[in-house]
Amino acid sequence: MQIRDKLSILADAAKYDASCASSGTNKRDSRAGGLGSTTGMGICHSYTPDGRCVSLLKILMTNSCIYNCLYCINRSSSNVRRARFTPEEVVDLTLDFYRRNYIEGLFLSSGIVRSSNHTMEQVVRVAKTLRVDHQFRGYIHLKTIPEAAPELIEEAGRWADRLSINVELPTPADLDQLAPEKNLDRIRGAMTVIGKRITQAKIEKRENRKASAFSPAGQSTQMIVGATPTADRAILDQASSLYQNHQLKRVYYSAFSPIPDASSQLPLISPPLVREHRLYQADWLLRFYGFKVTELTTPDSPNLPLDIDPKLAWALNHRDEFPTDINRAPRETLLRVPGLGVRNVDRILQIRRWHTLRLTDLMRMRMPMKKVLPFIITADHTPHRIEKHTAVMARSEKQMELFAPDVFTPLAVG
C-alpha cells in the first residue's frame, strides 16, 4: 500500500480522538541545534467540518485492533479498510511535513496489535527516533495503553510532551456494556502511575535543572458523550474525580459519532454538539470558578440545560444571592456572576482599590453588559428584576455548524 493511501486511512481514523490540544509544555526551540520548536501557545491546529480542533499531523500507527469496543470504528469486527505504518514511515512523514511548514508537532495513537507491549514499543520507537536521531524539538503527544509495561510508559514519558489514556466511557457499567475488554480501575491505576511520575519529575527538576523531564505537559483523557444514556452529572463526577485524584491537565468530551455497521446497542444519531459544549463550560467552572458538580446538576435534573450556559442556570436558580455589589463582594462571589470571567474579576479587584466602579468602567473592560447587568450593583446601577432578562440570554439548543450546507446561501446576481 502506498504511503498516501495509508495516510488517508490512518489520519481519517484518528479524527475521532478529540484530545489533541498541546498547551502547557516547556518552551523549546532549535536555536541550540536540532529541528522544530514549541511555544507557550502550543502548536497549530486545524478544525474539522463539525468544529472539532485537530492537530495537522494526527494519525494512528494502525487502525487494526484486537479489541472490539462497540463505539469504535476500528474495532476488530469492523469492516473498514485496514492500514499500518512502520515507525520509520511515521518519522519520515513527521519530518517531511514539518519541513514543509505543515505541522509543528505530532499526535500519535494506535489500535492494539499483537499485544499492548508490542504496540507501545512501536509508538515509543517513533518518539525516541524523532528526539534522539533527528533532534526533533517539536511537540509530541502519545496515547498510552494502560496494560503496557511500566518501563515502556516510563520511556514514553521521557520523549513525549504529553501522555494520555482514554477513559472512553464515564462509568464501569458503560464500559461493561460497550467495551468489556477495558477496565476503569486498570485505566485509573495507570493514570496514578503516570501522575506520580510527573510529580516526581517536577521535584527532581526543581532540585537539579538538568534532571530529565517526564511528560512536562501532563496527562489528559477523553470521554465519549451520548453513546450510552449516562447523564451529565455522572460524566462530570467522573471528570471531577480524575482532576482531584490524578491531577489531569484536561478531560476532553467527544460527542458520540454514529459509525458504519454499528451495534444495535448504540444510538442511531449523535447527541447535539451543544451538549459537548455545555460539558466543557461546566468543566471550566469546576476547575477555575470553585463550583461543584452538585451545584451544577441535581438528582432531579442530572443533565445540564442546553439553552443557557451552566453558570447562568445556577444564577437563575439562586436569585436570592443576587444582585452582587462588585465594589464590595469577595473574589469567590464575583466568580459566580454570569458574564464575569477570571480575568475580569481580577481586574475588578485591582481597579476598586483605587476608585469605585461605575458602568463606564465595565464598558471599558469590554464586559458582556447584557449578561452582567441583571446580576450586579455598581455605584450608578441597581437592577430591577432578573426574570425579564432571561429570554435575552437564552440561546438555541441547536449549535450551528460552521460548514452546514445552508450557511453558504448563494448571493443573488443582477
Side-chain angles (χ1 to χ4, degrees), residues 187-219:
I187 292 170
R188 295 191 65 148
M191 286 179 173
T192 301
V193 172
I194 293 174
K196 288 180 178 177
R197 188 63 187 88
I198 290 172
T199 304
Q200 180 189 349
K202 286 179 180 175
I203 295 171
E204 292 173 353
K205 200 75 174 176
R206 280 199 294 269
E207 296 173 350
N208 179 7
R209 293 181 61 188
K210 294 184 179 179
S212 298
F214 183 91
S215 187
Q219 61 172 328

PDB file of all heavy atoms in Angstrom, residues 187-219:
ATOM      1  N   ILE A 187      -7.392   1.403  34.083  1.00  0.00           N
ATOM      2  CA  ILE A 187      -7.058   2.684  33.447  1.00  0.00           C
ATOM      3  C   ILE A 187      -6.639   3.707  34.503  1.00  0.00           C
ATOM      4  O   ILE A 187      -5.625   4.395  34.358  1.00  0.00           O
ATOM      5  CB  ILE A 187      -8.279   3.199  32.644  1.00  0.00           C
ATOM      6  CG1 ILE A 187      -8.540   2.280  31.449  1.00  0.00           C
ATOM      7  CG2 ILE A 187      -8.056   4.628  32.181  1.00  0.00           C
ATOM      8  CD1 ILE A 187      -9.852   2.547  30.744  1.00  0.00           C
ATOM      9  N   ARG A 188      -7.413   3.772  35.580  1.00  0.00           N
ATOM     10  CA  ARG A 188      -7.089   4.753  36.610  1.00  0.00           C
ATOM     11  C   ARG A 188      -5.805   4.375  37.345  1.00  0.00           C
ATOM     12  O   ARG A 188      -5.069   5.243  37.815  1.00  0.00           O
ATOM     13  CB  ARG A 188      -8.267   4.907  37.569  1.00  0.00           C
ATOM     14  CG  ARG A 188      -9.487   5.493  36.871  1.00  0.00           C
ATOM     15  CD  ARG A 188     -10.565   5.887  37.825  1.00  0.00           C
ATOM     16  NE  ARG A 188     -10.166   6.960  38.698  1.00  0.00           N
ATOM     17  CZ  ARG A 188     -10.961   7.887  39.193  1.00  0.00           C
ATOM     18  NH1 ARG A 188     -12.221   7.895  38.863  1.00  0.00           N
ATOM     19  NH2 ARG A 188     -10.537   8.803  40.004  1.00  0.00           N
ATOM     20  N   GLY A 189      -5.522   3.076  37.437  1.00  0.00           N
ATOM     21  CA  GLY A 189      -4.255   2.661  38.029  1.00  0.00           C
ATOM     22  C   GLY A 189      -3.078   3.160  37.205  1.00  0.00           C
ATOM     23  O   GLY A 189      -2.076   3.650  37.761  1.00  0.00           O
ATOM     24  N   ALA A 190      -3.191   3.057  35.880  1.00  0.00           N
ATOM     25  CA  ALA A 190      -2.115   3.557  35.009  1.00  0.00           C
ATOM     26  C   ALA A 190      -1.989   5.076  35.128  1.00  0.00           C
ATOM     27  O   ALA A 190      -0.876   5.626  35.118  1.00  0.00           O
ATOM     28  CB  ALA A 190      -2.400   3.166  33.566  1.00  0.00           C
ATOM     29  N   MET A 191      -3.119   5.770  35.262  1.00  0.00           N
ATOM     30  CA  MET A 191      -3.075   7.233  35.444  1.00  0.00           C
ATOM     31  C   MET A 191      -2.360   7.598  36.736  1.00  0.00           C
ATOM     32  O   MET A 191      -1.620   8.585  36.798  1.00  0.00           O
ATOM     33  CB  MET A 191      -4.496   7.797  35.472  1.00  0.00           C
ATOM     34  CG  MET A 191      -5.182   7.830  34.134  1.00  0.00           C
ATOM     35  SD  MET A 191      -6.855   8.488  34.322  1.00  0.00           S
ATOM     36  CE  MET A 191      -7.358   8.620  32.623  1.00  0.00           C
ATOM     37  N   THR A 192      -2.591   6.807  37.769  1.00  0.00           N
ATOM     38  CA  THR A 192      -1.928   7.075  39.052  1.00  0.00           C
ATOM     39  C   THR A 192      -0.412   6.971  38.907  1.00  0.00           C
ATOM     40  O   THR A 192       0.334   7.821  39.400  1.00  0.00           O
ATOM     41  CB  THR A 192      -2.411   6.068  40.121  1.00  0.00           C
ATOM     42  OG1 THR A 192      -3.820   6.194  40.255  1.00  0.00           O
ATOM     43  CG2 THR A 192      -1.754   6.327  41.458  1.00  0.00           C
ATOM     44  N   VAL A 193       0.041   5.919  38.206  1.00  0.00           N
ATOM     45  CA  VAL A 193       1.484   5.739  37.999  1.00  0.00           C
ATOM     46  C   VAL A 193       2.066   6.926  37.242  1.00  0.00           C
ATOM     47  O   VAL A 193       3.114   7.486  37.620  1.00  0.00           O
ATOM     48  CB  VAL A 193       1.736   4.422  37.228  1.00  0.00           C
ATOM     49  CG1 VAL A 193       3.200   4.305  36.833  1.00  0.00           C
ATOM     50  CG2 VAL A 193       1.312   3.230  38.073  1.00  0.00           C
ATOM     51  N   ILE A 194       1.387   7.339  36.172  1.00  0.00           N
ATOM     52  CA  ILE A 194       1.884   8.471  35.379  1.00  0.00           C
ATOM     53  C   ILE A 194       1.871   9.758  36.213  1.00  0.00           C
ATOM     54  O   ILE A 194       2.818  10.544  36.194  1.00  0.00           O
ATOM     55  CB  ILE A 194       1.035   8.638  34.098  1.00  0.00           C
ATOM     56  CG1 ILE A 194       1.258   7.441  33.167  1.00  0.00           C
ATOM     57  CG2 ILE A 194       1.380   9.930  33.384  1.00  0.00           C
ATOM     58  CD1 ILE A 194       0.371   7.446  31.944  1.00  0.00           C
ATOM     59  N   GLY A 195       0.781   9.965  36.962  1.00  0.00           N
ATOM     60  CA  GLY A 195       0.676  11.179  37.778  1.00  0.00           C
ATOM     61  C   GLY A 195       1.795  11.272  38.797  1.00  0.00           C
ATOM     62  O   GLY A 195       2.388  12.352  38.989  1.00  0.00           O
ATOM     63  N   LYS A 196       2.098  10.151  39.479  1.00  0.00           N
ATOM     64  CA  LYS A 196       3.189  10.160  40.468  1.00  0.00           C
ATOM     65  C   LYS A 196       4.534  10.432  39.808  1.00  0.00           C
ATOM     66  O   LYS A 196       5.368  11.147  40.350  1.00  0.00           O
ATOM     67  CB  LYS A 196       3.221   8.813  41.200  1.00  0.00           C
ATOM     68  CG  LYS A 196       2.075   8.612  42.180  1.00  0.00           C
ATOM     69  CD  LYS A 196       2.175   7.270  42.872  1.00  0.00           C
ATOM     70  CE  LYS A 196       1.050   7.096  43.888  1.00  0.00           C
ATOM     71  NZ  LYS A 196       1.073   5.757  44.529  1.00  0.00           N
ATOM     72  N   ARG A 197       4.700   9.863  38.615  1.00  0.00           N
ATOM     73  CA  ARG A 197       5.987  10.066  37.916  1.00  0.00           C
ATOM     74  C   ARG A 197       6.143  11.519  37.456  1.00  0.00           C
ATOM     75  O   ARG A 197       7.252  12.068  37.485  1.00  0.00           O
ATOM     76  CB  ARG A 197       6.042   9.104  36.719  1.00  0.00           C
ATOM     77  CG  ARG A 197       7.367   9.076  36.024  1.00  0.00           C
ATOM     78  CD  ARG A 197       8.484   8.582  36.915  1.00  0.00           C
ATOM     79  NE  ARG A 197       9.778   8.733  36.265  1.00  0.00           N
ATOM     80  CZ  ARG A 197      10.508   9.847  36.339  1.00  0.00           C
ATOM     81  NH1 ARG A 197      10.103  10.869  37.063  1.00  0.00           N
ATOM     82  NH2 ARG A 197      11.662   9.928  35.710  1.00  0.00           N
ATOM     83  N   ILE A 198       5.035  12.144  37.053  1.00  0.00           N
ATOM     84  CA  ILE A 198       5.092  13.559  36.652  1.00  0.00           C
ATOM     85  C   ILE A 198       5.464  14.419  37.858  1.00  0.00           C
ATOM     86  O   ILE A 198       6.311  15.313  37.770  1.00  0.00           O
ATOM     87  CB  ILE A 198       3.729  13.996  36.064  1.00  0.00           C
ATOM     88  CG1 ILE A 198       3.497  13.325  34.713  1.00  0.00           C
ATOM     89  CG2 ILE A 198       3.660  15.511  35.923  1.00  0.00           C
ATOM     90  CD1 ILE A 198       2.109  13.549  34.146  1.00  0.00           C
ATOM     91  N   THR A 199       4.831  14.134  38.998  1.00  0.00           N
ATOM     92  CA  THR A 199       5.133  14.900  40.216  1.00  0.00           C
ATOM     93  C   THR A 199       6.590  14.717  40.627  1.00  0.00           C
ATOM     94  O   THR A 199       7.287  15.685  40.976  1.00  0.00           O
ATOM     95  CB  THR A 199       4.210  14.432  41.359  1.00  0.00           C
ATOM     96  OG1 THR A 199       2.856  14.572  40.944  1.00  0.00           O
ATOM     97  CG2 THR A 199       4.442  15.250  42.614  1.00  0.00           C
ATOM     98  N   GLN A 200       7.065  13.479  40.566  1.00  0.00           N
ATOM     99  CA  GLN A 200       8.450  13.197  40.935  1.00  0.00           C
ATOM    100  C   GLN A 200       9.416  13.948  40.014  1.00  0.00           C
ATOM    101  O   GLN A 200      10.422  14.518  40.471  1.00  0.00           O
ATOM    102  CB  GLN A 200       8.704  11.690  40.850  1.00  0.00           C
ATOM    103  CG  GLN A 200      10.121  11.286  41.218  1.00  0.00           C
ATOM    104  CD  GLN A 200      10.381   9.823  40.896  1.00  0.00           C
ATOM    105  OE1 GLN A 200       9.468   9.058  40.598  1.00  0.00           O
ATOM    106  NE2 GLN A 200      11.638   9.430  40.948  1.00  0.00           N
ATOM    107  N   ALA A 201       9.111  13.954  38.715  1.00  0.00           N
ATOM    108  CA  ALA A 201       9.997  14.636  37.757  1.00  0.00           C
ATOM    109  C   ALA A 201      10.054  16.134  38.028  1.00  0.00           C
ATOM    110  O   ALA A 201      11.111  16.762  37.883  1.00  0.00           O
ATOM    111  CB  ALA A 201       9.507  14.369  36.332  1.00  0.00           C
ATOM    112  N   LYS A 202       8.913  16.712  38.426  1.00  0.00           N
ATOM    113  CA  LYS A 202       8.907  18.154  38.731  1.00  0.00           C
ATOM    114  C   LYS A 202       9.783  18.455  39.941  1.00  0.00           C
ATOM    115  O   LYS A 202      10.506  19.454  39.982  1.00  0.00           O
ATOM    116  CB  LYS A 202       7.471  18.615  38.978  1.00  0.00           C
ATOM    117  CG  LYS A 202       6.637  18.708  37.705  1.00  0.00           C
ATOM    118  CD  LYS A 202       5.219  19.153  38.020  1.00  0.00           C
ATOM    119  CE  LYS A 202       4.392  19.245  36.749  1.00  0.00           C
ATOM    120  NZ  LYS A 202       2.980  19.564  37.030  1.00  0.00           N
ATOM    121  N   ILE A 203       9.720  17.573  40.949  1.00  0.00           N
ATOM    122  CA  ILE A 203      10.557  17.766  42.139  1.00  0.00           C
ATOM    123  C   ILE A 203      12.041  17.650  41.771  1.00  0.00           C
ATOM    124  O   ILE A 203      12.873  18.466  42.186  1.00  0.00           O
ATOM    125  CB  ILE A 203      10.177  16.728  43.220  1.00  0.00           C
ATOM    126  CG1 ILE A 203       8.750  16.977  43.704  1.00  0.00           C
ATOM    127  CG2 ILE A 203      11.157  16.777  44.385  1.00  0.00           C
ATOM    128  CD1 ILE A 203       8.199  15.894  44.612  1.00  0.00           C
ATOM    129  N   GLU A 204      12.350  16.630  40.968  1.00  0.00           N
ATOM    130  CA  GLU A 204      13.751  16.446  40.547  1.00  0.00           C
ATOM    131  C   GLU A 204      14.243  17.633  39.738  1.00  0.00           C
ATOM    132  O   GLU A 204      15.398  18.048  39.856  1.00  0.00           O
ATOM    133  CB  GLU A 204      13.856  15.161  39.714  1.00  0.00           C
ATOM    134  CG  GLU A 204      13.622  13.889  40.517  1.00  0.00           C
ATOM    135  CD  GLU A 204      13.569  12.651  39.650  1.00  0.00           C
ATOM    136  OE1 GLU A 204      13.584  12.784  38.400  1.00  0.00           O
ATOM    137  OE2 GLU A 204      13.480  11.547  40.208  1.00  0.00           O
ATOM    138  N   LYS A 205      13.335  18.212  38.949  1.00  0.00           N
ATOM    139  CA  LYS A 205      13.722  19.351  38.112  1.00  0.00           C
ATOM    140  C   LYS A 205      14.022  20.581  38.961  1.00  0.00           C
ATOM    141  O   LYS A 205      14.918  21.374  38.637  1.00  0.00           O
ATOM    142  CB  LYS A 205      12.578  19.646  37.135  1.00  0.00           C
ATOM    143  CG  LYS A 205      12.978  20.438  35.911  1.00  0.00           C
ATOM    144  CD  LYS A 205      13.735  19.570  34.939  1.00  0.00           C
ATOM    145  CE  LYS A 205      14.024  20.315  33.648  1.00  0.00           C
ATOM    146  NZ  LYS A 205      14.855  19.505  32.739  1.00  0.00           N
ATOM    147  N   ARG A 206      13.236  20.730  40.048  1.00  0.00           N
ATOM    148  CA  ARG A 206      13.486  21.875  40.936  1.00  0.00           C
ATOM    149  C   ARG A 206      14.841  21.741  41.645  1.00  0.00           C
ATOM    150  O   ARG A 206      15.511  22.724  41.901  1.00  0.00           O
ATOM    151  CB  ARG A 206      12.368  21.984  41.973  1.00  0.00           C
ATOM    152  CG  ARG A 206      11.106  22.636  41.441  1.00  0.00           C
ATOM    153  CD  ARG A 206      10.225  23.127  42.567  1.00  0.00           C
ATOM    154  NE  ARG A 206       9.705  22.033  43.361  1.00  0.00           N
ATOM    155  CZ  ARG A 206       8.543  21.419  43.130  1.00  0.00           C
ATOM    156  NH1 ARG A 206       7.805  21.804  42.112  1.00  0.00           N
ATOM    157  NH2 ARG A 206       8.128  20.439  43.902  1.00  0.00           N
ATOM    158  N   GLU A 207      15.215  20.499  41.969  1.00  0.00           N
ATOM    159  CA  GLU A 207      16.480  20.271  42.668  1.00  0.00           C
ATOM    160  C   GLU A 207      17.670  20.277  41.721  1.00  0.00           C
ATOM    161  O   GLU A 207      18.778  20.631  42.105  1.00  0.00           O
ATOM    162  CB  GLU A 207      16.412  18.927  43.415  1.00  0.00           C
ATOM    163  CG  GLU A 207      15.359  18.918  44.520  1.00  0.00           C
ATOM    164  CD  GLU A 207      15.183  17.530  45.128  1.00  0.00           C
ATOM    165  OE1 GLU A 207      15.732  16.548  44.566  1.00  0.00           O
ATOM    166  OE2 GLU A 207      14.483  17.435  46.157  1.00  0.00           O
ATOM    167  N   ASN A 208      17.433  19.862  40.484  1.00  0.00           N
ATOM    168  CA  ASN A 208      18.514  19.792  39.506  1.00  0.00           C
ATOM    169  C   ASN A 208      17.960  20.145  38.137  1.00  0.00           C
ATOM    170  O   ASN A 208      17.167  19.386  37.567  1.00  0.00           O
ATOM    171  CB  ASN A 208      19.125  18.387  39.493  1.00  0.00           C
ATOM    172  CG  ASN A 208      20.241  18.268  38.476  1.00  0.00           C
ATOM    173  OD1 ASN A 208      20.659  19.253  37.853  1.00  0.00           O
ATOM    174  ND2 ASN A 208      20.742  17.047  38.302  1.00  0.00           N
ATOM    175  N   ARG A 209      18.340  21.274  37.603  1.00  0.00           N
ATOM    176  CA  ARG A 209      17.782  21.745  36.328  1.00  0.00           C
ATOM    177  C   ARG A 209      18.078  20.800  35.180  1.00  0.00           C
ATOM    178  O   ARG A 209      17.422  20.829  34.152  1.00  0.00           O
ATOM    179  CB  ARG A 209      18.336  23.126  36.009  1.00  0.00           C
ATOM    180  CG  ARG A 209      17.879  24.206  36.974  1.00  0.00           C
ATOM    181  CD  ARG A 209      18.439  25.544  36.607  1.00  0.00           C
ATOM    182  NE  ARG A 209      18.025  25.972  35.284  1.00  0.00           N
ATOM    183  CZ  ARG A 209      18.501  27.043  34.672  1.00  0.00           C
ATOM    184  NH1 ARG A 209      19.416  27.787  35.259  1.00  0.00           N
ATOM    185  NH2 ARG A 209      18.070  27.376  33.480  1.00  0.00           N
ATOM    186  N   LYS A 210      19.105  19.949  35.345  1.00  0.00           N
ATOM    187  CA  LYS A 210      19.459  19.038  34.264  1.00  0.00           C
ATOM    188  C   LYS A 210      18.739  17.694  34.362  1.00  0.00           C
ATOM    189  O   LYS A 210      18.961  16.802  33.544  1.00  0.00           O
ATOM    190  CB  LYS A 210      20.971  18.806  34.258  1.00  0.00           C
ATOM    191  CG  LYS A 210      21.759  20.065  33.904  1.00  0.00           C
ATOM    192  CD  LYS A 210      23.235  19.766  33.823  1.00  0.00           C
ATOM    193  CE  LYS A 210      24.012  21.032  33.434  1.00  0.00           C
ATOM    194  NZ  LYS A 210      25.475  20.763  33.374  1.00  0.00           N
ATOM    195  N   ALA A 211      17.903  17.546  35.370  1.00  0.00           N
ATOM    196  CA  ALA A 211      17.166  16.286  35.522  1.00  0.00           C
ATOM    197  C   ALA A 211      16.228  16.076  34.324  1.00  0.00           C
ATOM    198  O   ALA A 211      15.699  17.039  33.749  1.00  0.00           O
ATOM    199  CB  ALA A 211      16.366  16.309  36.813  1.00  0.00           C
ATOM    200  N   SER A 212      16.017  14.821  33.955  1.00  0.00           N
ATOM    201  CA  SER A 212      15.168  14.504  32.798  1.00  0.00           C
ATOM    202  C   SER A 212      13.710  14.853  33.086  1.00  0.00           C
ATOM    203  O   SER A 212      13.220  14.634  34.197  1.00  0.00           O
ATOM    204  CB  SER A 212      15.266  13.010  32.469  1.00  0.00           C
ATOM    205  OG  SER A 212      16.583  12.679  32.129  1.00  0.00           O
ATOM    206  N   ALA A 213      13.044  15.392  32.072  1.00  0.00           N
ATOM    207  CA  ALA A 213      11.615  15.710  32.212  1.00  0.00           C
ATOM    208  C   ALA A 213      10.788  14.453  31.970  1.00  0.00           C
ATOM    209  O   ALA A 213      11.240  13.508  31.309  1.00  0.00           O
ATOM    210  CB  ALA A 213      11.229  16.789  31.225  1.00  0.00           C
ATOM    211  N   PHE A 214       9.593  14.443  32.508  1.00  0.00           N
ATOM    212  CA  PHE A 214       8.654  13.345  32.240  1.00  0.00           C
ATOM    213  C   PHE A 214       7.303  13.963  31.915  1.00  0.00           C
ATOM    214  O   PHE A 214       6.677  14.582  32.776  1.00  0.00           O
ATOM    215  CB  PHE A 214       8.541  12.422  33.455  1.00  0.00           C
ATOM    216  CG  PHE A 214       7.640  11.232  33.218  1.00  0.00           C
ATOM    217  CD1 PHE A 214       8.157  10.038  32.726  1.00  0.00           C
ATOM    218  CD2 PHE A 214       6.282  11.303  33.465  1.00  0.00           C
ATOM    219  CE1 PHE A 214       7.334   8.943  32.499  1.00  0.00           C
ATOM    220  CE2 PHE A 214       5.448  10.215  33.241  1.00  0.00           C
ATOM    221  CZ  PHE A 214       5.981   9.029  32.756  1.00  0.00           C
ATOM    222  N   SER A 215       6.887  13.821  30.698  1.00  0.00           N
ATOM    223  CA  SER A 215       5.604  14.352  30.234  1.00  0.00           C
ATOM    224  C   SER A 215       5.330  15.742  30.816  1.00  0.00           C
ATOM    225  O   SER A 215       4.383  15.928  31.593  1.00  0.00           O
ATOM    226  CB  SER A 215       4.473  13.385  30.628  1.00  0.00           C
ATOM    227  OG  SER A 215       3.260  13.783  30.061  1.00  0.00           O
ATOM    228  N   PRO A 216       6.146  16.739  30.452  1.00  0.00           N
ATOM    229  CA  PRO A 216       6.034  18.063  31.088  1.00  0.00           C
ATOM    230  C   PRO A 216       4.680  18.752  30.889  1.00  0.00           C
ATOM    231  O   PRO A 216       4.321  19.621  31.679  1.00  0.00           O
ATOM    232  CB  PRO A 216       7.164  18.861  30.434  1.00  0.00           C
ATOM    233  CG  PRO A 216       7.474  18.125  29.175  1.00  0.00           C
ATOM    234  CD  PRO A 216       7.219  16.693  29.450  1.00  0.00           C
ATOM    235  N   ALA A 217       3.943  18.387  29.853  1.00  0.00           N
ATOM    236  CA  ALA A 217       2.615  18.985  29.646  1.00  0.00           C
ATOM    237  C   ALA A 217       1.522  18.183  30.341  1.00  0.00           C
ATOM    238  O   ALA A 217       0.338  18.414  30.120  1.00  0.00           O
ATOM    239  CB  ALA A 217       2.314  19.110  28.156  1.00  0.00           C
ATOM    240  N   GLY A 218       1.908  17.221  31.183  1.00  0.00           N
ATOM    241  CA  GLY A 218       0.930  16.480  31.981  1.00  0.00           C
ATOM    242  C   GLY A 218       0.251  15.365  31.208  1.00  0.00           C
ATOM    243  O   GLY A 218       0.700  14.937  30.156  1.00  0.00           O
ATOM    244  N   GLN A 219      -0.851  14.887  31.759  1.00  0.00           N
ATOM    245  CA  GLN A 219      -1.612  13.822  31.105  1.00  0.00           C
ATOM    246  C   GLN A 219      -3.061  14.258  30.931  1.00  0.00           C
ATOM    247  O   GLN A 219      -3.562  15.124  31.646  1.00  0.00           O
ATOM    248  CB  GLN A 219      -1.544  12.522  31.906  1.00  0.00           C
ATOM    249  CG  GLN A 219      -2.097  12.585  33.304  1.00  0.00           C
ATOM    250  CD  GLN A 219      -2.174  11.197  33.948  1.00  0.00           C
ATOM    251  OE1 GLN A 219      -2.381  10.188  33.271  1.00  0.00           O
ATOM    252  NE2 GLN A 219      -2.001  11.149  35.256  1.00  0.00           N
TER     253      GLN A 219
END
